[in-house]
Amino acid sequence: MTIQTTNPFTNKTVKSFKEMTETAVEGKVAKAQEAFTHWKETTYQHRADLLHKVATLMRVKKSELAQTITLEMGKILSQAEGEIDLSADIFDYYANHGEKFLADKVLDPEYGTALIRNSPIGVLLGVMPWNFPFYQVARFVAPNIMVGNTILLKHASIVPQCAAALEELFAEAEAPEGLYTNLFISGKRASALVSDKRIKGVSLTGSEEAGASIAIEAGKYLKKVVLELGGNDVFIILEDADMDKTVEWAVVGRMNNNGQCCVASKRFIAVEAIADTFIKKFKDALSKMKVGDPMDPDTELGPLSSEEAAVELADQVKRSVDQGAKVLLGGKRADREGAFMEPTILTNLKPGIAAYHEELFGPVASFYVVKDEEAAIALANDSDFGLGASVFTQDIERGKRIADQIDAGMVFINHPTWTQADLPFGGTKRSGFGRELSELGIHEFVNKKLIRVS
Ligand code: NDP
């Protein structure tokens, strides 16, 4: 397998890394286990101090880390800087609130007295994607280090310098050896590692295929697993939406991170009364986006994460068109070097067409017109995914009523699906299970031990 940095703006490979041998991995698992025996005995204050140190180092090195993100997966530099800030915030958040979240819960049983104590469970394996190389890791690692668990991290093969930089941050913060360990191994080997007796839980963010592979192993060896997979989030526009603000958010919702967010707004559903107004403004805004070098501060849309990702997306669009979809804007690879795809809008989508069912991980919006609110909800729920959704209306009670009827893990009113340290994140259906971030995220890999006194 190849573990390498290939700049998607030029498609040139700039650095390659060696996959770790079985012996090296065995040594690292043993170190993580050894570190657990000590780390679980440390105080919450000690753990919080380490998390704060990592957060501070991230902020100090923000510019360098953000450039590494942009080099390896093409995120626009200002957004990469935003990702580092968000990741540092997540470390601080769990340092500040972790002890409170994990405090004993006193029960009121019919007989005797009892409490629930949250204890760490051991070494955890994280399998993480390239789309937010620091944030995805932060939201898994920060709560679990606070719990007292230790971490082995298999990062996506296209972001090895980000992976190494994360491990380096822990070393610089003087974390004990084995607390956070980067593994340069293939996805297949990560799946196989789940069987190791020392590994007590696994968390994966990525595709359904990779999630299923990990879940099969976790099921076979009876390990706890958290999966955050794909999404096909709707962005519903009702007749009473504030149109200019809605269009601004539609652009951000679809194009943030060059269109490669699991919670990106992917299916735009407008009611008839305002559909024409919305689509005209949305198309106009997308067609004016400045496509180019993600390091250039003027750029609004950069490349996809890799040439393979761009080829795959262009193929999904082509298959959809062959099956009857219409192209309202773009529709092809951009005529330039690098992993670029034109900003694209597809219409005339129906069941049976690829874009109706599949996640389009890039700057391609699917546009639907429906008669009314009820039809919008039915279309929203006609998906195998259930990650996020958003509803644009000036009637907040109406928005909440619609939120109740959408089968998704998160519904945002007048904002695309978003993330912050103190809001839970996760989905339903084929988008996965478990929750990350907020108080919920810290309770996924703990032993909720009952202690009862007679
Ligand atoms: P993958 O799911 O392949 O990659 C995510 C992580 O899983 C990487 O670390 C990858 O390693 C690892 N992995 C891959 N196969 C396995 C396996 N069999 N067992 C264990 N781990 C595995 O995502 P891709 O990069 O291929 O992207 C494909 C699609 O996945 C996207 O188009 C998008 O739809 C979805 N995706 C969703 C994300 C999200 O945020 N929910 C993030 C990224 C992708 P390696 O890199 O070595 O293959």
Side-chain angles (χ1 to χ4, degrees):
M1 71 159 316
T2 48
I3 300 176
Q4 59 191 26
T5 303
T6 299
N7 182 350
F9 176 58
T10 59
N11 282 340
K12 302 246 169 11
T13 298
V14 293
K15 198 165 178 180
S16 296
F17 293 75
K18 278 216 174 77
E19 190 171 348
M20 288 171 177
T21 62
E22 283 301 319
T23 315
V25 172
E26 166 52 34
K28 286 176 188 291
V29 178
K31 281 259 159 60
Q33 175 61 32
E34 163 71 12
F36 175 65
T37 61
H38 304 296
W39 191 249
K40 71 183 169 73
E41 302 299 339
T42 57
T43 62
Y44 285 127
Q45 188 57 54
H46 182 79
R47 298 173 199 166
D49 289 346
L50 178 80
L51 293 184
H52 279 313
K53 261 196 205 169
V54 173
T56 303
L57 281 166
M58 273 185 179
R59 293 192 181 100
V60 169
K61 300 171 90 171
K62 177 160 84 176
S63 168
E64 176 194 326
L65 297 174
Q67 284 184 43
T68 307
I69 295 176
T70 300
L71 169 72
E72 293 199 300
M73 54 69 69
K75 193 189 303 271
I76 287 174
L77 189 59
S78 58
Q79 292 179 13
E81 287 169 354
E83 180 181 339
I84 297 299
D85 285 334
L86 173 61
S87 307
D89 288 350
I90 292 170
F91 275 85
D92 279 340
Y93 174 77
Y94 283 109
N96 291 333
H97 301 285
E99 181 167 4
K100 177 180 69 196
F101 293 156
L102 294 166
D104 287 351
K105 182 168 185 220
V106 177
L107 304 179
D108 184 19
E110 198 173 340
Y111 305 108
T113 58
L115 59 87
I116 291 173
R117 178 152 299 160
N118 291 298
S119 339
I121 60 170
V123 181
L124 304 179
L125 174 65
V127 181
M128 293 295 146
W130 42 262
N131 63 341
F132 290 89
F134 282 77
Y135 156 80
Q136 307 276 21
V137 171
R139 69 186 189 173
F140 164 59
V141 165
N144 281 302
I145 284 187
M146 199 63 197
V147 164
N149 295 320
T150 61
I151 309 290
L152 294 167
L153 205 295
K154 182 268 179 286
H155 219 318
S157 315
I158 65 167
V159 289
Q161 296 192 51
C162 290
L166 277 154
E167 189 179 56
E168 181 62 25
L169 282 170
F170 280 90
E172 279 182 51
E174 296 173 330
E177 198 186 356
L179 181 71
Y180 178 95
T181 307
N182 175 53
L183 298 179
F184 278 142
I185 56 172
S186 65
K188 238 186 180 163
R189 283 178 68 196
S191 275
L193 204 51
V194 174
S195 67
D196 189 295
K197 279 204 165 114
R198 292 161 292 186
I199 291 172
K200 297 294 191 287
V202 53
S203 180
L204 176 139
T205 297
S207 62
E208 291 168 85
E209 207 183 346
S213 167
I214 285 286
I216 286 168
E217 295 305 307
K220 201 152 122 197
Y221 295 96
L222 304 174
K223 309 272 169 92
K224 172 77 191 273
V225 62
V226 167
L227 297 178
E228 203 273 273
L229 309 175
N232 208 357
D233 288 14
V234 286
F235 183 110
I236 296 176
I237 310 116
L238 297 173
E239 62 284 352
D240 62 348
D242 176 333
M243 194 49 68
D244 287 337
K245 276 196 194 140
T246 302
V247 172
E248 270 176 40
W249 280 126
V251 175
V252 176
R254 180 57 284 197
M255 297 301 184
N256 181 41
N257 204 27
N258 303 329
Q260 302 161 111
C261 301
C262 46
V263 289
S265 312
K266 292 171 185 138
R267 296 183 290 151
F268 293 82
I269 303 177
V271 295
E272 268 169 11
I274 44 73
D276 285 350
T277 316
F278 170 79
I279 196 62
K280 194 170 167 299
K281 286 176 186 262
F282 185 48
K283 180 183 170 190
D284 190 46
L286 294 197
S287 60
K288 284 186 185 145
M289 287 188 87
K290 190 170 178 298
V291 179
D293 182 354
M295 295 281 185
D296 179 344
D298 290 335
T299 296
E300 292 170 323
L301 183 66
L304 295 185
S305 61
S306 67
E307 180 60 18
E308 291 72 26
V311 167
E312 160 76 15
L313 183 63
D315 177 63
Q316 286 175 297
V317 170
K318 183 179 176 311
R319 277 191 288 122
S320 301
V321 171
D322 290 347
Q323 292 160 342
K326 294 216 162 15
V327 174
L328 190 66
L329 178 72
K332 346 179 264 314
R333 298 287 306 274
D335 185 18
R336 58 185 302 153
E337 181 187 52
F340 284 90
M341 178 80 191
E342 292 176 342
T344 295
I345 303 175
L346 298 178
T347 63
N348 206 39
L349 297 164
K350 298 181 177 68
I353 295 180
Y356 185 93
H357 304 282
E358 296 174 15
E359 178 178 35
L360 300 175
F361 220 58
V364 181
S366 299
F367 180 63
Y368 299 84
V369 182
V370 291
K371 196 163 137 282
D372 54 18
E373 172 189 316
E374 208 182 335
I377 295 165
L379 181 53
N381 288 334
D382 190 21
S383 169
D384 289 340
F385 295 106
L387 195 53
S390 51
V391 181
F392 284 74
T393 170
Q394 294 191 56
D395 179 347
I396 302 304
E397 289 312 310
R398 184 183 186 195
K400 288 185 190 164
R401 192 163 36 76
I402 293 171
D404 278 348
Q405 297 172 73
I406 293 182
D407 191 0
M410 303 167 273
V411 182
F412 282 63
I413 297 168
N414 293 329
H415 201 286
T417 318
W418 215 246
T419 185
Q420 60 194 51
D422 54 2
L423 293 179
F425 191 104
T428 61
K429 302 197 268 186
R430 291 184 72 83
S431 294
F433 39 78
R435 288 292 179 272
E436 296 188 273
L437 296 173
S438 78
E439 181 170 356
L440 297 188
I442 206 167
H443 291 286
E444 291 287 354
F445 296 103
V446 297
N447 174 14
K448 298 201 158 287
K449 188 185 288 175
L450 168 70
I451 301 179
R452 183 184 181 278
V453 181
S454 289

